[in-house]
Amino acid sequence: MRVAVPVPVRSGFDYRCEAPVAPGCRVLVPHGQRRLVGLVTELPAAGAVPAARLKSVEAVMDRAPLVSAPLLQLLLWAADYYQHPVGEVCKAALPGLLGTAPRTVSPSSDPESPSSDPESPFSPRKPPSPPLSAPQRTAVDEINRAAGGFAGFVLHGVTGSGKTEVYIAAAADALRRGRRALVLVPEIGLTPQIVARFQKSLGGAVGVFHSALRPAERRDTWRKLRGGFFHVALGTRSAVFAPVDKLGVIIVDEEHDSSYKQQEGFRYHARDLAVLRARLENVPVMLGSATPSLETLLNVRQKKYRALHLPARIGAAKLPRIALLDLRKLPLVDGLTPPLADAMEQRLRRGEQSLLFANRRGFAPVLLCTACGWQARCDSCDARLVLHGTRARNDKLACHHCGAGRAPPDLCPQCGAPELRRIGHGTQRLEESLRKRFPAAVVERIDRDSVRKRGALAEKLKRAQSGAANILVGTRMLGKGHDFPRLTLVGVVDVDRGFYSADFRALETQVQQLLQVAGRAGRAEAPGEVMIQTVFPDNPVLQLIARHDFNGFAEQALAERESAGFPPYRHFALLRAESETPGAALAFLAQVKKNAGGEGEGDGVALMDPVPSPMEKRRGRHRAQLLVQSPRRKPLGDFLRRLIRAAESRRAARKVRWSVDVDPMEML
Ligand code: ADP
Ligand code: ZN
Ligand code: ZN
């Protein structure tokens, strides 16, 4: 039989087993010098090795499969599609259950078997929820009508249109039918509200799964889900593998969010796997967003998914007016133009909240010598160092890519000039100047630096929510699905940086982020206003944003992607390599390309030439990449296997680290 053993080898291993065992059970096997716990994936042996030559399984560890048949299929498919070692894929899906052998093996105790606990038949929500609006009702009815089979839906609803209520109603209906629900959200720490809303409506039926859980908590939640103790699995990316049987519906909130793609190791996309899981489980899946990804919109155009629209905000709430403030005509004081500063002052007088959105954390993104042009740069990365901290207390130059830090020099290290200029406004600098300008206001900064302490983020979000904070200043953490009822003004300090990037997806991400952060304003009765400071107020994309015309943007962006031959019209895969010596990674990729025999013949696969990565040096390593593209996925996968074999056989590979990224979300 075939066993997924958690080691970095792409295929499974064949073993002999006399005892009865089913796919999805764990077994203890000898592997090299070690004994490891692996997962049975197939019976009988798929390999051609005669049974007599196979090693024997030492023990069968589960009486019943740990993983259901559709979930096991999902794992095998994912290992194949993302070209990742199957044992590591299974290990990622089974927290703490595969790997090194336990000291004692006693299959009879079987701690993971489904509990027979009877604690919790589903009883509908206690506080009656508001009656659904007509478009919400239609959306829920459509999903209910599709129950019992696969169907893909896109819930495209503007910010504040009541998407979350639709998710809750669809999940509750699935529960009433005796089924369970799987709900994926981007980042639970950032949006504890959605968890609270599900829990309030569905009671104790919700099991929450996310990466900040301690291993024991994670395992406990996993076991309760598998045992059927919870009726809803709600979690971030890895929850797509949650052990939920009898699924009735799968929901992916903010489906465009890049956190669904794992950027290292097993580089899967949880939204895409959620759709596949829905197929395998034969249930409807709903992808929700105010700003759907171009991938998803193309699927709607091609009639693979059906779009459900929530065109307006709930009740009296209106979408905020968006104004573009021309930085060429308006003076800038401490990063703010007068109209934005005045609008903030108004909000303070009215007891309403403002949010300032900046792209950069830290004090100033650039430290520059105006005499000779020297800039503080990282020694290990192709990147500028960012100045952190205020001059009064412990300022520091920090690299946002490798974490290196050092004290800023007093004199220019190149020409000795005595004064270095701090250019641009990071969140710390904005916070400092806001405190000076509005001494009576409570200013709350929310970015990665200010929420390092456990619990800090939750505290800050609570103060934002309750209205105790008057001004919120922060990075894109503030652009997520928050619902701050007193927030009526959003200011975007530095929009232009986002328009320059080597990554073809940067514009899409930028537009999504702007509309999402704009969507925080005016969600309750008081109308909202958004002000975007820019030196390019005529930029056509900004003009579309100012009209909330996401569809207009998407149409244009899809046309551009199609003519450029980019995703979602073509599929991409990257072979990335990095080395300590300059040039070695590039040379390695050139060899791999040669050994793989160039392009796949006649099947549309195109293999580019290896190139240095846009950020060539990072963490002291020199990086290069090789792009493979194809209009169809199957030949791309076949060709990638060839490429990987070529890479694995290179002796130079010992000095070069390489990895494969199928459907890469960032090309940097
Ligand atoms: P979205 O997820 O689309 O941003 P939410 O589901 O958060 O929108 O809804 C926005 C606000 O409207 C929330 O405060 C929510 O409680 C409220 N809301 C949603 N649906 C209804 C409804 N049918 N009736 C009254 N209020 C609603
Ligand atoms: Zn100088
Ligand atoms: Zn660095």
Side-chain angles (χ1 to χ4, degrees):
M1 67 188 193
R2 184 140 283 205
V3 179
V5 184
V7 291
V9 174
R10 269 162 231 281
S11 61
F13 294 86
D14 289 325
Y15 287 92
R16 188 156 49 126
C17 184
E18 273 79 38
V21 63
C25 289
R26 289 172 305 158
V27 286
L28 182 64
V29 295
H31 187 83
Q33 305 297 318
R34 296 185 294 169
R35 297 158 76 226
L36 292 172
V37 178
L39 192 73
V40 178
T41 59
E42 269 178 85
L43 307 168
V49 189
R53 303 230 324 258
L54 293 176
K55 287 192 191 159
S56 283
V57 161
E58 287 186 21
V60 175
M61 297 182 61
D62 304 299
R63 279 173 302 179
L66 268 195
V67 178
S68 69
L71 188 50
L72 184 59
Q73 254 180 299
L74 180 76
L75 295 174
L76 297 179
W77 187 92
D80 185 63
Y81 181 77
Y82 292 106
Q83 314 264 350
H84 197 72
V86 64
E88 293 190 345
V89 169
C90 292
K91 192 176 173 182
L94 297 166
L97 292 167
L98 300 186
T100 34
R103 253 162 286 141
T104 53
V105 178
S106 50
S108 51
S109 65
D110 194 3
E112 313 304 341
S113 66
S115 75
S116 48
D117 201 324
E119 208 228 282
S120 56
F122 172 65
S123 58
R125 55 188 86 185
K126 274 140 243 155
S129 58
L132 297 178
S133 69
Q136 282 177 323
R137 186 72 260 164
T138 308
V140 176
D141 288 347
E142 288 288 331
I143 289 148
N144 284 342
R145 202 169 310 145
F150 169 78
F153 293 98
V154 176
L155 185 65
H156 188 172
V158 298
T159 52
S161 60
K163 293 184 291 296
T164 309
E165 284 309 317
V166 172
Y167 305 150
I168 292 172
D173 285 342
L175 267 51
R176 283 192 198 92
R177 292 193 299 271
R179 315 294 291 190
R180 304 208 166 108
L182 172 61
V183 184
L184 300 186
V185 295
E187 280 159 284
I188 279 179
L190 284 175
T191 48
Q193 279 173 309
I194 191 167
V195 180
R197 282 170 72 180
F198 264 87
Q199 280 169 337
K200 196 169 148 210
S201 301
L202 304 176
V206 183
V208 180
F209 226 129
H210 56 93
S211 54
L213 291 180
R214 298 186 178 93
E217 294 170 320
R218 199 173 172 70
R219 203 173 141 149
D220 186 55
T221 305
W222 191 91
R223 188 178 306 155
K224 284 181 172 155
L225 279 169
R226 177 165 184 274
F229 180 87
F230 292 131
H231 297 256
V232 178
L234 173 65
T236 48
R237 187 170 63 218
S238 66
V240 72
F241 304 118
V244 189
D245 286 342
K246 296 206 291 182
L247 268 179
V249 67
I250 298 180
I251 292 160
V252 184
D253 183 30
E254 308 289 8
E255 66 86 32
H256 65 278
D257 196 282
S258 61
S259 74
Y260 285 123
K261 177 79 199 259
Q262 177 141 311
Q263 303 281 14
E264 57 197 30
F266 173 28
R267 292 174 163 81
Y268 65 98
H269 200 304
R271 175 203 58 215
D272 295 348
L273 288 185
V275 174
L276 180 72
R277 184 159 181 187
R279 259 180 217 289
L280 295 169
E281 307 261 7
N282 242 335
V283 298
V285 59
M286 176 164 47
L287 310 179
S289 178
T291 54
S293 63
L294 297 179
E295 275 75 9
T296 292
L297 290 175
L298 182 62
N299 280 326
V300 171
R301 279 195 185 183
Q302 296 175 337
K303 306 248 176 336
K304 290 181 192 156
Y305 301 154
R306 280 192 39 209
L308 304 167
H309 293 282
L310 305 180
R313 284 190 164 177
I314 287 289
K318 296 261 176 312
L319 282 174
R321 206 173 70 86
I322 301 182
L324 302 174
L325 303 181
D326 191 342
L327 285 175
R328 294 166 308 180
K329 297 191 181 136
L330 294 163
L332 208 53
V333 180
D334 288 337
L336 304 183
T337 53
L340 179 53
D342 292 348
M344 292 179 76
E345 194 155 0
Q346 245 179 41
R347 296 314 186 285
L348 285 172
R349 276 203 302 272
R350 297 207 296 246
E352 295 171 4
Q353 237 171 9
S354 315
L355 182 162
L356 271 194
F357 174 78
N359 263 322
R360 282 303 191 100
R361 63 193 170 88
F363 189 85
V366 183
L367 187 66
L368 172 81
C369 170
T370 45
C372 77
W374 174 89
Q375 297 182 7
R377 301 190 68 87
C378 181
D379 296 332
S380 312
C381 309
D382 286 329
R384 290 199 197 96
L385 292 174
V386 176
L387 191 68
H388 280 251
T390 53
R391 193 160 280 178
R393 53 191 165 90
N394 50 34
D395 54 348
K396 185 179 113 177
L397 285 168
C399 176
H400 286 187
H401 300 279
C402 70
R406 60 173 193 248
D410 289 326
L411 310 175
C412 172
Q414 193 164 279
C415 76
E419 185 134 25
L420 295 170
R421 269 199 38 206
R422 303 178 293 172
I423 310 244
H425 282 78
T427 48
Q428 279 181 337
R429 188 175 203 167
L430 287 169
E431 180 192 20
E432 190 188 68
S433 58
L434 288 170
R435 284 184 198 281
K436 263 192 227 136
R437 199 193 284 239
F438 306 114
V442 178
V443 180
E444 196 76 67
R445 173 162 62 91
I446 301 187
D447 59 22
R448 220 156 15 104
D449 299 313
S450 75
V451 300
R452 285 192 202 281
K453 252 190 276 162
R454 207 182 160 93
L457 179 57
E459 279 301 308
K460 280 173 176 284
L461 289 175
K462 214 186 277 168
R463 283 196 290 273
Q465 185 92 42
S466 70
N470 305 116
I471 301 177
L472 311 173
V473 47
T475 51
R476 62 199 177 88
M477 282 183 135
L478 279 176
K480 303 287 168 162
H482 311 289
D483 200 10
F484 303 136
R486 301 173 87 95
L487 184 80
T488 59
L489 174 69
V490 168
V492 179
V493 175
D494 55 349
V495 73
D496 297 319
R497 264 198 71 230
F499 286 106
Y500 306 99
S501 173
D503 198 313
F504 73 89
R505 270 187 234 272
L507 188 62
E508 177 186 355
T509 308
Q510 160 96 335
V511 171
Q512 286 162 339
Q513 250 175 38
L514 284 173
L515 286 175
Q516 292 286 345
V517 74
R520 298 315 109 207
R523 290 167 69 89
E525 293 80 37
E529 194 175 9
V530 178
M531 294 183 169
I532 300 177
Q533 304 189 146
T534 173
V535 283
F536 306 116
D538 303 326
N539 177 320
V541 173
L542 282 178
Q543 293 283 338
L544 289 168
I545 289 174
R547 295 198 297 269
H548 289 278
D549 190 0
F550 182 73
N551 289 333
F553 164 74
E555 194 145 310
Q556 199 174 304
L558 277 171
E560 282 168 18
R561 297 273 187 92
E562 185 169 26
S563 64
F566 281 170
Y569 293 91
R570 285 182 143 242
H571 306 295
F572 279 9
L574 276 184
L575 187 63
R576 292 198 182 88
E578 53 178 51
S579 59
E580 273 164 28
T581 39
L586 202 58
F588 167 77
L589 291 180
Q591 271 300 329
V592 170
K593 174 172 177 169
K594 202 166 139 215
N595 288 16
E599 309 201 355
E601 269 149 50
D603 50 12
V605 177
L607 180 60
M608 306 291 114
D609 281 330
V611 290
S613 304
M615 183 184 279
E616 200 266 335
K617 202 170 147 206
R618 186 151 121 193
R619 295 174 186 273
R621 291 176 162 269
H622 298 266
R623 308 158 70 236
Q625 58 194 31
L626 181 57
L627 176 66
V628 194
Q629 36 170 281
S630 165
R632 287 175 303 132
R633 292 180 192 280
K634 170 84 171 61
L636 181 71
D638 292 343
F639 184 77
L640 265 186
R641 260 179 285 280
R642 229 161 85 195
L643 208 59
I644 288 167
R645 266 199 306 277
E648 279 172 342
S649 69
R650 293 295 309 156
R651 299 189 70 216
R654 280 184 215 142
K655 287 195 210 116
V656 173
R657 275 199 224 150
W658 58 273
S659 60
V660 190
D661 193 349
V662 179
D663 302 331
M665 288 307 285
E666 57 160 83
M667 311 287 286
L668 300 181

